[in-house]
Every structure is written in structure tokens, then in C-alpha cells.
Amino acid sequence: MAPQAGTLVLEEVSKTFPQRDGGGEVRAVDRVSLSIGVGEFVTLLGPSGCGKTTTLRLISGFEFPSSGRILLDGKDISNRPPNKRDMAMVFQSYALFPHMTVANNVAYGLRVRHVGQQELKQRVAHVLDLMGLAGLAERRPHEMSGGQQQRVALARSLVVEPRVLLFDEPLSNLDAKLRVQMRSEIRNIQRRLNITSVYVTHDQVEAMALSDRIVVMNDGHIEQMGTPEEIYRRPVSRFVADFIGRANFVEGTIHDVSGERATVSLLGQTVTVSAGFQPHPGDTVTVVLRPESLVLRSDPGLEQVRVEQMMYLGSSVEYLLARGDQRLIAVDTDPRSDRLFREGDLAGLTFEPETVHILPARA
Ligand code: ADP
Ligand code: MG
């Protein structure tokens, strides 16, 4: 049941709502353009209110764009109702029918589509098997755990063999351990079936773990789009750097520029980096340093910082560092007892040069 279709394109899609408390308008989605290939798993990620759910509702047909177009396999579906889009949605609330058995919940979409009894039975059995639910077919939702209910919800979406699967924060109601387990199940199933998927979450770790590509949204617009690694290593703005993982920001000064490469000095050292924008000699830039690329050494030749806090976490050690008025976070992912720093210690601060990433001072 691997669908060979499912290319989804959004062209300059915007959605405005009348403001809930009287006059004015809210632009919930602001000229969003993206192109998602067959079988690709794309996550819309961003803080609450940035427009993720509205974008998903536009894709599913529960809302219609104020402007722009949505294309599925080349056809304009912008104004089609949800049941004419060949998509299925998995919700946070599961949205199962409480009075129906698991088998009937899963069969529902097929009955609505008037699929014959024999084919229906086969397809339901196949999907229940796929989701590890075969033994629970006659249970009702209240007789199952949250994780099992979410699996039924996913089975119900898969059984109709949609061209696109949509997820709106489906794991938010599960406890941390189950969330991690379901995350890997979703990834597994989606890979096996090769279904184009659009997933909404505000959880960056979930987004990184699941996605081929992440779309970071901010205030209705796309701030950045890329693979988890691109977004983490080469964020285009402070917003993205801050939202995806943790980031330290320090000031740097540009010395030489040669094509894509720029020489920048920071923390008393000089390194050459590739810039994602056009810097000029003399510019002040913002340098993004991830906590795990900051390194502490007992070396008086390096810039000295004070260890304000040290947290031993077993597989890593986290330091909160004072550099004048500034606070920096450093993570040692290979902590050995002979080189730990203690609270109150002065330490020399350096960094791994290849991890240095620069942004325009005001990005
Ligand atoms: P997210 O899912 O990222 O939290 P939403 O897409 O739900 O964000 O909302 C984006 C913005 O649009 C918010 O400011 C929200 O208040 C507003 N909004 C969403 N739906 C409506 C609506 N039906 N009427 C008015 N404003 C809305
Ligand atoms: Mg939402």
C-alpha cells in the first residue's frame, strides 16, 4: 500500500482572520511557500501562535487560503473540502469514537468510502497488524492506554491510504517515555509506507528526531527551512538558533573577507569561517556557539571565565560561566574526573573552530 503520489506544494499561502476581540485582522499565515516531495517527512516547528495549526488546516481543507495556492500532485486543491483531498489527520486528542471497537474505529474511513466488506476486513486486519494492534481489535478506546489509543488513531489514518498524512502535535498528551517510543514508531511506519507527511510540533527535539526537513515558523512566516543538521549548525537568525537547541551569542569582528570566507575574531582568537551572508571588514557580527563546542582548559593564556555553576549529569557536565556581565553555557560531553572544573574556579575558554557560525549583528 505504498502510495506513489503525494507531492504537496504551497505557493505564497496567506491566511488572515478577523481579530477575535473586535476590529483589525490577524495574519496567521504569511506568504508561506514550500514544496514537499513524495514520502518526505516535513515538520512545522515554532512557538505557540506562530501559525503551525492554521497552515496544517489550510493543507487539510479545514480552512481556505486568503491568498496563494495549494497543489497536490500538480492539481490546485486550495478550495476543495477536506474529504476531497485524499489526506488524513492525526490529532493530539486521538478523536476516536468512544462507543466503537478498535476494529470499527479503524474501519470507519473505509465504510464512509463504501469499500466492500471483504476488502475492508483485509485492509483493517493488515493495518492493525502493522501497528501491533491485532490483539486489541475488539477493545473500546477507554479500555486502552494513551499510547495504544494514539496507535489506533494512526491506524485509522493509514487504512484509507492517503496521499498525505497530517499530524497536529499528536504526542503532546503522552508521558515523556511513551512520547519517545511513539516518535520512533511513527518514523518507522512513515518510512516503510513512504507517505508524504506534514507534522506540527513546538518540541524541537521531536522535530529533529522525526524530520527529513524542518520548517521553522515565526509570526506566520517561514524563518528557515532545512534538514535538522542545517538548522542546528547553520541557523539564519538568533530566533532559529535560540529555538533549536541552546545557543550562546558572543560578539565577533570581521577582518578579511574573501568570497564566501571571512576571518573573524572572537574570545581573543581568530578563525576563518564560511558566512551565509556578505560581511565586510570591520563589521561586528553575532557569533553562535553551541554549548557543546565551548571548551574549558586550565590555560592562563586563554580568556578567563568564572565557573558559576557546575552540574554533573553523568554522560555530560554542564557549566554556567560568567564572562563579565555575560552568562555562557558550556557542555562537556566527554567528562573525565581529572579535568572537571568546580564552582568558583577560573577557567580558560576556547572553542572548536569548525563549529563557529556567524550572523549579521541584527539577524
Ligand atoms: P500555532 O498552531 O502555531 O500555535 P495557530 O495557527 O493556531 O498557531 O494560530 C496563529 C495565529 O492565528 C494566532 O495568533 C491565533 O490566535 C490566530 N488564529 C488562529 N485561528 C484563528 C481564528 N479562527 N480566528 C482568529 N484568529 C485565529
Ligand atoms: Mg497549534
Side-chain angles (χ1 to χ4, degrees), residues 3-308:
Q4 288 314 304
T7 307
L8 183 66
V9 173
L10 275 66
E11 286 179 356
E12 296 263 320
V13 171
S14 294
K15 179 68 182 178
T16 51
F17 293 111
Q19 210 131 34
R20 280 173 176 136
D21 46 9
E25 285 189 327
V26 191
R27 187 175 276 258
V29 176
D30 189 7
R31 283 162 298 166
V32 164
S33 295
L34 43 108
S35 181
I36 304 175
V38 176
E40 203 181 0
F41 197 114
V42 170
T43 296
L44 309 179
L45 174 69
S48 175
C50 73
K52 306 180 295 293
T53 294
T54 306
T55 305
L56 205 67
R57 287 171 63 81
L58 289 163
I59 294 170
S60 63
F62 291 108
E63 300 284 356
F64 300 108
S66 308
S67 62
R69 297 199 305 164
I70 299 171
L71 307 167
L72 179 61
D73 294 316
K75 289 223 173 66
D76 188 345
I77 58 160
S78 311
N79 295 304
R80 274 193 212 169
N83 60 348
K84 297 268 155 43
R85 291 198 180 196
D86 212 356
M87 300 185 186
M89 174 97 99
V90 183
F91 296 95
Q92 176 181 353
S93 57
Y94 319 137
L96 299 176
F97 300 113
H99 57 285
M100 282 187 197
T101 63
V102 166
N104 282 329
N105 263 288
V106 173
Y108 181 79
L110 298 178
R111 294 222 160 86
V112 172
R113 287 166 174 78
H114 306 293
V115 172
Q117 196 58 26
Q118 198 181 344
E119 186 189 340
L120 180 144
K121 278 218 165 102
Q122 274 172 5
R123 281 168 70 174
V124 169
H126 176 67
V127 167
L128 289 180
D129 204 37
L130 189 71
M131 293 304 301
L133 291 165
L136 304 176
E138 295 312 312
R139 296 253 184 111
R140 281 167 222 279
H142 72 270
E143 297 167 323
M144 293 184 301
S145 69
Q148 289 168 333
Q149 290 183 49
Q150 191 54 283
R151 223 172 280 152
V152 175
L154 186 53
R156 191 179 53 178
S157 302
L158 292 172
V159 81
V160 300
E161 299 177 12
R163 278 195 252 182
V164 181
L165 256 185
L166 306 171
F167 300 85
D168 195 355
E169 313 231 5
L171 306 183
S172 307
N173 285 341
L174 304 177
D175 66 51
K177 206 163 178 182
L178 203 51
R179 213 153 56 216
V180 172
Q181 190 191 327
M182 277 304 290
R183 178 166 100 192
S184 97
E185 278 189 37
I186 289 176
R187 176 76 178 164
N188 230 321
I189 295 278
Q190 187 271 343
R191 275 269 161 280
R192 269 167 69 184
L193 302 180
N194 199 41
I195 298 188
T196 307
S197 299
V198 186
Y199 190 99
V200 160
T201 183
H202 64 273
D203 180 335
Q204 52 102 6
V205 176
E206 204 168 290
M208 305 268 284
L210 280 167
S211 315
D212 295 314
R213 264 191 309 155
I214 296 175
V215 176
V216 183
M217 294 185 69
N218 180 14
D219 203 14
H221 68 266
I222 295 179
E223 185 90 8
Q224 187 172 3
M225 200 163 11
T227 64
E229 192 182 349
E230 279 163 3
I231 301 247
Y232 188 77
R233 296 177 63 106
R234 309 199 65 77
V236 298
S237 63
R238 279 177 91 116
F239 175 86
V240 174
D242 234 358
F243 199 78
I244 309 289
R246 293 184 295 175
N248 298 295
F249 299 105
V250 302
E251 216 172 71
T253 306
I254 300 290
H255 297 289
D256 298 315
V257 178
S258 147
E260 277 275 275
R261 314 280 294 167
T263 307
V264 57
S265 63
L266 65 142
L267 300 172
Q269 298 178 55
T270 300
V271 292
T272 301
V273 299
S274 77
F277 61 100
Q278 186 56 65
H280 301 283
D283 280 358
T284 297
V285 293
T286 299
V287 182
V288 182
L289 288 165
R290 296 296 186 182
E292 65 275 15
S293 57
L294 285 182
V295 179
L296 297 181
R297 298 222 190 289
S298 303
D299 179 349
L302 295 171
E303 178 167 316
Q304 299 294 294
V305 293
R306 188 170 296 281
V307 176
E308 284 210 330

